[in-house]
Amino acid sequence: MAATRPDNATVKALQKSNVSRYIQLASLFRQRIESGEWDVGSKIPTVKELADQCGVATMTIRQSLDILEKEGLIERYRAKGTFVIERPKRDLWCEVKTDWTGLLIARDNATIEILGDETGVHLPRHEGELGNPAPSYRHLRRKHSRDGQAFLLADVYVDERICEHIPEENYTRVTAMRLVADIPGQTVANANQIVTIGSADLETASQLNISIGDPIARVQRVVANQNGDIIMLANGIYRGDMMKIEVKLR
């Protein structure tokens, strides 16, 4: 049998990243299944062939395949090989809205868990210069889930001067924007949203049940009132495989 040639592009890509090789390879192999290159029911190359192709040790390949096996995408059969049994689920039900009205609407069947709650906090550093910081903020760490699957981690900072006007139950029911949308004596004069793409660190991976290095979207939302005071800052981290951003151009 002819020797498997290294895929130079794959080898170079693996060498450029600081993410563990087996995690990178798990992502690569997952994409092959998703694209149909490795179709459901098909037998994938052997561990030795994949190791030669990717320029890594066989143990690294086995670690990456362990991840796919735990995800239910492949199944190994002794003396037969490894077969694809399922495609990755791309349930893009978590849509990041780009208009004010959409940002006020909570996700259907979503639950919000409070992971942390502290008062007297200063506004953290953030992008942009939308307004002036308030004297102090209430900081809530929230986790949003649907059907038991977490899809969003959010740090929400609310101006303490308006907290008395927000029903306590709202912190576990409504979006960050909705928290400050209808406060007596407050008019939302300015608001913006910044989205950046990144990768999951250890804490994010643990909370969202994803692998370290998996894609995430960081979303910053800032709201200022009629006096130019920042009354709310929300820093959210979305699972990259469960969200989409749709922008209406016309």
Side-chain angles (χ1 to χ4, degrees), residues 89-126:
K89 291 181 174 58
R90 284 289 182 182
D91 188 13
L92 300 177
W93 44 260
C94 179
E95 182 176 0
V96 175
K97 299 291 185 179
T98 57
D99 62 289
W100 176 253
T101 302
L103 290 171
L104 300 180
I105 302 173
R107 308 286 182 270
D108 290 338
N109 303 320
T111 59
I112 301 175
E113 177 186 357
I114 303 296
L115 303 179
D117 188 351
E118 55 183 337
T119 58
V121 176
H122 291 299
L123 194 69
R125 294 181 62 183
H126 59 283

Side-chain angles (χ1 to χ4, degrees), residues 30 33-34 71-73 86-93 239 241-242:
R30 193 182 297 112
I33 296 173
E34 186 176 28
E71 293 176 356
L73 303 181
E86 185 70 70
R87 293 185 66 189
K89 291 181 174 58
R90 284 289 182 182
D91 188 13
L92 300 177
W93 44 260
R239 281 185 57 148
D241 62 342
M242 287 189 174

Side-chain angles (χ1 to χ4, degrees), residues 228-244:
D229 296 328
I230 296 176
I231 56 175
M232 196 278 296
L233 166 68
N235 291 320
I237 302 175
Y238 289 83
R239 281 185 57 148
D241 62 342
M242 287 189 174
M243 60 86 69
K244 66 177 180 179

Side-chain angles (χ1 to χ4, degrees), residues 21-33:
R21 298 283 191 271
Y22 76 94
I23 294 177
Q24 294 183 66
L25 287 168
S27 178
L28 172 64
F29 299 156
R30 193 182 297 112
Q31 290 171 4
R32 289 182 179 179
I33 296 173

Side-chain angles (χ1 to χ4, degrees), residues 207-250:
Q207 291 287 355
L208 296 182
N209 193 30
I210 56 179
S211 298
I212 297 173
D214 275 1
I216 57 170
R218 298 184 184 276
V219 181
Q220 175 191 281
R221 293 165 181 152
V222 185
V223 178
N225 66 8
Q226 71 275 18
N227 301 318
D229 296 328
I230 296 176
I231 56 175
M232 196 278 296
L233 166 68
N235 291 320
I237 302 175
Y238 289 83
R239 281 185 57 148
D241 62 342
M242 287 189 174
M243 60 86 69
K244 66 177 180 179
I245 302 172
E246 183 175 341
V247 180
K248 186 175 181 179
L249 299 178
R250 289 190 67 180

